[in-house]
Amino acid sequence: MLQHFFGLVYLSTVSQIVLFTGTHADECPLQFNPQRAVVRYGGPVSVNCSTSVQHDGIGWEASEGAVPMSKDNLITWRVSNLRDLDIEPFCYINLDKQCQIELPITIYKTPDSVSISTVYHIGPMKEGNQYELQCDVLNVAPVQYLTVKWYKGQTLVNQTTFTDTIKTPVNETATLMIRPDRSDDGVQYRCEAELDLGEEGPRPPPKVTSKPLSITVHFRPIIIETKLSSVVLQGYPVVIVCEAEGNPKPTISWNLGTNNPVYSETLTITDSTPEDLSCIANNSVGTDIRHVKLSKQGNSPNYIACVVVALLVLFIGLFLCVWKKLF
Ligand SMILES: *[C@@H]1O[C@H](CO)[C@@H](O)[C@H](O)[C@H]1NC(C)=O
Ligand SMILES: *[C@@H]1O[C@H](CO)[C@@H](O)[C@H](O)[C@H]1NC(C)=O
Ligand SMILES: *[C@@H]1O[C@H](CO)[C@@H](O)[C@H](O)[C@H]1NC(C)=O
Ligand SMILES: *[C@@H]1O[C@H](CO)[C@@H](O)[C@H](O)[C@H]1NC(C)=O
């Protein structure tokens, strides 16, 4: 039933279209080939206007390339260098009375330049802050068919379209808000101005791409935990390492509980090193701190002394017993 219903709707739509074009053709029996002209500014164009009915003359009216009235059934409007952006060519036919059809025409101009820049900001960006990128497209027409595409590396991240119907070339600006994070350091942004002129337009659509804009992102240090492995001290000096990722490169220091931090990525641990210490990674953006608890074990000198004393006591005891028994 439903299918039937849609079938009916479809049929009536189709018949309406047929009816419409039918009456249109009855009104003025002219055809364009191509049906719509898409011309590069300053480029060539040629469009045929033809009829299949008996007539008293057909012709083209246009500010450039007009074709005088002719008895032929096909006449061609031709311009080798189209520069009139407001051109409105039409084809007419003389029957009982005259009728005419205007040619749909789009004259496009690819941008002279496309450039990308940051707005209100110079130099490195800081992770988590918001910044504005700007794309300037100079001298492009018609802006109605313009799409500005934003790429981060190879990824399309956003696009901007324009609704202005002005025919003359204009300058347009598109903006993109970004909030870079630490992984975006060194990433390249670019913008691309594309004119999508429809089926009659050039394929692929003409486009102009900006030079890439590399961004530098400053981010606070994060100490790489896995590198701070647990420490086993065996009576010998051990070197521990503290590494951190940050931009700019962090300064690494060790706090040993004294007033003098040790500025080094590595720290040599001896028996006199306090058990509680921390690594500090610092740059202009922030600071990261990790506490390290040393586990001292094994043959420390105290342990050896203890064993020596214990053995000595045992030996003296034994000696005393044996001595008493003998004498
Ligand atoms: C216009 O007509 C001429 C002459 O018949 C033909 O050679 C040409 O291919 C036609 N152009 C188009 C766009 O159909
Ligand atoms: C894309 O841009 C539009 C307007 O310019 C904005 O509303 C939208 O949030 C943006 N989308 C993304 C994913 O940035
Ligand atoms: C577009 O910008 C350029 C350079 O800034 C300028 O010379 C030109 O006049 C501008 N065009 C329009 C239509 O504003
Ligand atoms: C961290 O860095 C800032 C600026 O770079 C400096 O003023 C501060 O003293 C540093 N702090 C430490 C603990 O190194």
Side-chain angles (χ1 to χ4, degrees), residues 1-19:
M1 182 61 204
L2 208 58
Q3 245 173 348
H4 201 83
F5 174 71
F6 280 120
L8 265 174
V9 170
Y10 175 72
L11 261 178
S12 63
T13 319
V14 167
S15 57
Q16 254 170 2
I17 291 168
V18 168
L19 249 171

Side-chain angles (χ1 to χ4, degrees), residues 28 30-32 47-49 58-69 75-77 86-94 98-105:
C28 200
L30 294 171
Q31 284 90 41
F32 291 132
V47 176
N48 289 341
C49 176
I58 58 173
W60 275 102
E61 283 296 345
S63 58
E64 291 178 57
V67 179
M69 197 170 81
I75 51 171
T76 305
W77 173 64
D86 294 316
I87 201 164
E88 288 175 347
F90 60 86
C91 188
Y92 62 84
I93 183 165
N94 290 326
Q98 192 183 71
C99 74
Q100 65 191 49
I101 305 181
E102 192 181 324
L103 173 72
I105 186 166

Side-chain angles (χ1 to χ4, degrees), residues 30-283:
L30 294 171
Q31 284 90 41
F32 291 132
N33 196 357
Q35 289 179 357
R36 171 177 168 247
V38 176
V39 195
R40 184 172 51 80
Y41 178 70
V45 61
S46 77
V47 176
N48 289 341
C49 176
S50 61
T51 187
S52 51
V53 300
Q54 292 276 327
H55 61 89
D56 300 326
I58 58 173
W60 275 102
E61 283 296 345
S63 58
E64 291 178 57
V67 179
M69 197 170 81
S70 143
K71 293 283 183 191
D72 295 341
N73 280 342
L74 184 150
I75 51 171
T76 305
W77 173 64
R78 191 177 278 121
V79 178
S80 57
N81 203 296
L82 188 64
R83 294 201 178 273
D84 181 1
L85 291 163
D86 294 316
I87 201 164
E88 288 175 347
F90 60 86
C91 188
Y92 62 84
I93 183 165
N94 290 326
L95 302 166
D96 294 339
K97 49 182 186 172
Q98 192 183 71
C99 74
Q100 65 191 49
I101 305 181
E102 192 181 324
L103 173 72
I105 186 166
T106 302
I107 301 163
Y108 68 92
K109 200 197 148 300
T110 53
D112 288 342
S113 78
V114 175
S115 57
I116 187 171
S117 56
T118 50
V119 188
Y120 311 125
H121 183 82
I122 303 170
M125 299 176 175
K126 203 182 265 187
E127 69 173 327
N129 286 7
Q130 184 167 281
Y131 299 90
E132 191 175 337
L133 303 185
Q134 179 174 312
C135 185
D136 287 301
V137 182
L138 292 193
N139 217 5
V140 64
V143 78
Q144 183 185 358
Y145 298 105
L146 175 68
T147 303
V148 174
K149 294 182 174 176
W150 291 96
Y151 288 90
K152 176 184 177 181
Q154 298 305 315
T155 312
L156 177 68
V157 288
N158 208 343
Q159 56 187 46
T160 313
T161 53
F162 303 85
T163 49
D164 199 344
T165 53
I166 188 169
K167 286 185 193 170
T168 51
V170 291
N171 296 337
E172 279 293 353
T173 297
T175 58
L176 180 74
M177 302 305 292
I178 60 166
R179 197 182 287 279
D181 64 29
R182 50 201 299 128
S183 65
D184 293 332
D185 186 37
V187 150
Q188 292 192 326
Y189 279 93
R190 66 197 155 87
C191 62
E192 201 171 81
E194 185 177 290
L195 280 171
D196 197 348
L197 297 152
E199 231 170 80
E200 295 87 357
R203 293 277 141 193
K207 61 185 177 190
V208 179
T209 305
S210 71
K211 285 200 192 123
L213 172 82
S214 285
I215 61 165
T216 301
V217 183
H218 279 180
F219 48 94
R220 66 177 194 86
I222 291 182
I223 292 171
I224 308 164
E225 192 97 39
T226 51
K227 303 244 174 164
L228 266 180
S229 50
S230 65
V231 182
V232 180
L233 188 67
Q234 296 188 314
Y236 300 99
V238 171
V239 175
I240 60 173
V241 184
C242 180
E243 273 182 55
E245 280 170 355
N247 193 22
K249 188 173 164 49
T251 306
I252 308 283
S253 58
W254 296 92
N255 182 350
L256 306 178
T258 63
N259 283 334
N260 299 325
V262 178
Y263 284 95
S264 169
E265 280 203 0
T266 58
L267 182 70
T268 305
I269 291 176
T270 62
D271 298 324
S272 56
T273 309
E275 285 197 358
D276 279 308
L277 48 103
S278 47
C279 167
I280 300 160
N282 184 33
N283 68 9

